[in-house]
Amino acid sequence: MILLSLRIFILLFLSTFSSWMVDEKQQRVQELPTVIKLAEDSIHYHITESLDFFLDIEGLLDIEEVSASTFSHNFQKATNPYMDSTNAEGVLWLRVTVENQRPELNEAWFFESWGFDIRNIVFYMPNDDNTFSVKESGYTLPFQEREIRHKNFNQVVNIRPGETKTFYLRIQRSYLMGFSFHLRSHSSFIPHAVNEYFLLGIYYGVLVIVLFFTIYLIFKQKDPLYAYFAFFLYACIWYSLGRDGLGFQYLWPNFPELNILTRRLLTQLLLVISALLFSNYFVQKIHKSPAINKVTWGAILLIVLLTLNQEYGFKVGDFYMLLIFSSILLVPIVGMVRTLVKIRQMSWAHSFALICMFIGLLQSYASEANVELFDDPIINWYFANPVIFAEVIFFSISIFNQIGYLQKKSFIAERSLNRALLEKNELQDKLNSNLKDLVKKRTQKVRSLANELAEKNRQLLRANTKLKKLNEEVRTENLNLNLTNQELKEGLEKTIQEMVLMKGFDFREFKEIFPDKEACCKFLSELKWAGGFHCKKCGYNKATISKSFGRRCRNCNYNESATSNTLFHKIKFPIEKAFYMLYLSNRKDVNMTLNELSETIDLRRETCWAFKNKIAIAKEQIDFDGELNGWERLALVDLEGNSEA
């Protein structure tokens, strides 16, 4: 029993001692920094997972405390781009130990940190007196304060051949981001930077040119499709500016507070919403599909809610979130493809554009989730740019194809419209021909009536002349014979009246000569300006004729109607009825009572009486002598001014 207890004690001691030895060995290994060796066979090193890190939750430590040898055991070796993927708060300290094994003396090395949206990054470079030179940067500081004015965070690493130095970085993250750190020699950094800016210049140049051309089409064509496409182009440009930091470098370098506009929460949502809205409108323009419209808006709403949840609510794992977003995006995209295939309007350009759109959106979420699609970090970082570039090109081709399709439809519709217009013109010509025949017959009838009226007027004039002559003869006979018989005298006067008074036109016959207001105004204007036009304001003698046969002075634009300054000025009933009353007032063969006149011309008795009274006043004003054609003189009497004879 004692031997058994002793044996168990010895085993427990050996086990505890072995465990202590392993922990001690691991602790000593952990205290040793991870060394990055600059060898002769490479001038570029991707060092993200070759660093040591420590997360200072409170953010109270300084460089003296962190760089002390007693603190070394607190650093851990990086195993992923997040360093510490549990907490984005606090300060992240990075330790970079570099051993230069290269023989080149005149060789500069650069530390490069990809990623524009690091809030604050401080680089501590060791000096010979055990102090540190401090270089601070970050998107919360003005761009001009950077030692190397590059879109990425760059720092010269002062390390000579054969030296081994440890550098420290103090980083404040804006969110739980993954990092991409590099060491480059000047022979790698300078061509890389030049080529990078050159290719980005081409990329942004093409997008901006297409954007300006699209804006021109918005004002030229007035088509909402181009507005949606312009919004999509703007979102692509803004998303790219947020990823590479060129907006901060060139647009607002002295206003770092504006960098909040390029946060992924905003730029990624803009990219997704604009792409889905444009694609949806593109499909709806070709074929109305309420189902696709609802699915698209539903996908947009879900993505917005999930993005806000990831930012401010319960965060789902990045890989699962990538699957969720991909599934949501696939639903409207597949629906759009099926709709276009169903109506046989799915072009190759639009197919590739939708594929690029899905890949671009998928890559943006994969980048946010730090899912590496490729082994090369450069391809991973810039993969979105060529995809967006290709997407824009294919969508542009799709728009031009759609324009061609719509032009073809417009041509067919225009041809049908022209055919209909030709048929309409033929029918209109036929109607015009018939109308001309009717107008010709009507004109001949009016001319016949006018000739008949003229002949009757001539007969009346001849009869009037004969009556005057006979009257003179009778007067002479009366003087010569000195007849005293009153009955004979009355009989003679009655005979003379019967000879003088000839039967006139009734209202129906008069209406055939003056059927409407237009005919009356035309006749009245010819009477009024028979001696030529003279403006009552300026005296000018030239005028233009209006539709109602008035006159507008060409000098002062004074407009005078046909009825102004006449007996018919401001009458409240049809002028053709007033014409007939004036005509009857000069006829001795017609003696209508007011009731008969009112019934004949369908006017109130008081109206007839008032106008007849107006005629009587006009007769007194011009000393009317009762000649048969005297009603024309009466028509030109102006009771509000001077009469016009």
Side-chain angles (χ1 to χ4, degrees), residues 521-537 540-565:
C521 289
K522 181 179 180 182
F523 177 78
L524 189 60
S525 68
E526 292 173 352
L527 277 179
K528 184 175 179 180
W529 289 294
F533 172 79
H534 293 281
C535 181
K536 295 189 177 299
K537 280 197 172 184
Y540 195 64
N541 61 355
K542 290 185 180 180
T544 55
I545 302 175
S546 65
K547 291 182 179 179
S548 58
F549 301 101
R551 300 294 190 272
R552 182 180 292 277
C553 178
R554 292 185 181 180
N555 183 46
C556 67
N557 283 332
Y558 173 68
N559 187 25
E560 184 177 348
S561 66
T563 59
S564 64
N565 303 311

Side-chain angles (χ1 to χ4, degrees), residues 328-379:
I328 294 173
L329 288 172
L330 272 176
V331 174
I333 293 175
V334 171
M336 293 173 191
V337 172
R338 288 187 60 189
T339 301
L340 294 177
V341 170
K342 186 177 180 180
I343 62 174
R344 298 181 180 179
Q345 292 297 323
M346 190 64 188
S347 65
W348 65 269
H350 196 64
S351 303
F352 282 115
L354 289 176
I355 292 172
C356 289
M357 183 182 78
F358 178 72
I359 293 174
L361 297 178
L362 182 64
Q363 194 278 337
S364 70
Y365 286 109
S367 174
E368 183 178 359
N370 285 287
V371 175
E372 303 290 339
L373 300 180
F374 304 96
D375 293 333
D376 192 325
I378 297 179
I379 297 178

Side-chain angles (χ1 to χ4, degrees), residues 451-463:
N451 291 334
E452 185 180 348
L453 180 62
E455 181 62 28
K456 287 185 178 182
N457 281 334
R458 285 194 293 271
Q459 290 176 3
L460 288 173
L461 288 174
R462 286 195 297 269

Side-chain angles (χ1 to χ4, degrees), residues 263 265-266 268-269 300-316 321 325 365 368:
R263 288 189 63 195
L265 175 65
L266 176 63
Q268 198 170 54
L269 277 179
I300 291 173
L301 179 61
L302 282 176
I303 288 174
V304 170
L305 292 177
L306 287 172
T307 302
L308 293 176
N309 175 71
Q310 286 294 96
E311 188 75 13
Y312 304 109
F314 175 74
K315 182 176 175 63
V316 181
M321 202 63 199
F325 275 114
Y365 286 109
E368 183 178 359

Side-chain angles (χ1 to χ4, degrees), residues 157-423:
V157 177
N158 184 15
I159 184 167
R160 298 176 183 177
E163 288 186 337
T164 299
K165 288 187 176 182
T166 299
F167 307 89
Y168 292 89
L169 284 89
R170 184 181 185 274
I171 296 176
Q172 288 180 287
R173 293 181 284 190
S174 52
Y175 59 93
L176 192 59
M177 64 174 66
F179 298 98
S180 183
F181 299 121
H182 302 260
L183 274 177
R184 297 178 185 272
S185 71
H186 68 276
S187 57
S188 171
F189 176 76
I190 294 175
H192 164 72
V194 172
N195 293 335
E196 190 178 22
Y197 276 94
F198 174 72
L199 294 175
L200 287 173
I202 295 176
Y203 169 75
Y204 283 110
V206 172
L207 292 188
V208 169
I209 290 172
V210 176
L211 176 61
F212 276 110
F213 180 69
T214 305
I215 293 173
Y216 166 77
L217 290 177
I218 293 174
F219 292 101
K220 188 71 175 178
Q221 301 293 331
K222 311 295 184 184
D223 191 339
L225 176 68
Y226 301 116
Y228 280 104
F229 191 52
F231 177 44
F232 169 67
L233 288 170
Y234 167 79
C236 291
I237 294 172
W238 202 250
Y239 174 77
S240 300
L241 289 175
R243 279 182 57 83
D244 55 37
L246 288 180
F248 185 32
Q249 181 174 357
Y250 292 110
L251 300 181
W252 56 87
N254 296 319
F255 301 95
E257 56 272 9
L258 295 181
N259 286 324
I260 192 174
L261 300 176
T262 56
R263 288 189 63 195
R264 283 190 178 184
L265 175 65
L266 176 63
T267 59
Q268 198 170 54
L269 277 179
L270 278 178
L271 185 63
V272 173
I273 292 171
S274 63
L276 290 178
L277 287 179
F278 166 70
S279 300
N280 177 56
Y281 188 83
F282 186 92
V283 173
Q284 299 295 331
K285 188 174 178 65
I286 298 177
H287 178 73
K288 293 291 183 183
S289 176
I292 294 300
N293 191 55
K294 292 179 180 179
V295 168
T296 302
W297 281 102
I300 291 173
L301 179 61
L302 282 176
I303 288 174
V304 170
L305 292 177
L306 287 172
T307 302
L308 293 176
N309 175 71
Q310 286 294 96
E311 188 75 13
Y312 304 109
F314 175 74
K315 182 176 175 63
V316 181
D318 290 332
F319 180 75
Y320 294 105
M321 202 63 199
L322 180 60
L323 290 178
I324 294 172
F325 275 114
S326 303
S327 302
I328 294 173
L329 288 172
L330 272 176
V331 174
I333 293 175
V334 171
M336 293 173 191
V337 172
R338 288 187 60 189
T339 301
L340 294 177
V341 170
K342 186 177 180 180
I343 62 174
R344 298 181 180 179
Q345 292 297 323
M346 190 64 188
S347 65
W348 65 269
H350 196 64
S351 303
F352 282 115
L354 289 176
I355 292 172
C356 289
M357 183 182 78
F358 178 72
I359 293 174
L361 297 178
L362 182 64
Q363 194 278 337
S364 70
Y365 286 109
S367 174
E368 183 178 359
N370 285 287
V371 175
E372 303 290 339
L373 300 180
F374 304 96
D375 293 333
D376 192 325
I378 297 179
I379 297 178
N380 277 317
W381 186 263
Y382 284 115
F383 181 68
N385 294 67
V387 171
I388 290 175
F389 186 85
E391 182 182 352
V392 169
I393 297 301
F394 287 133
F395 270 134
S396 299
I397 296 173
S398 300
I399 289 175
F400 283 117
N401 289 340
Q402 190 193 63
I403 291 173
Y405 169 73
L406 294 176
Q407 284 179 342
K408 183 179 179 180
K409 288 181 63 177
S410 176
F411 174 75
I412 295 173
E414 186 176 355
R415 188 167 57 185
S416 301
L417 179 61
N418 288 336
R419 190 181 302 112
L421 287 175
L422 287 175
E423 294 175 357

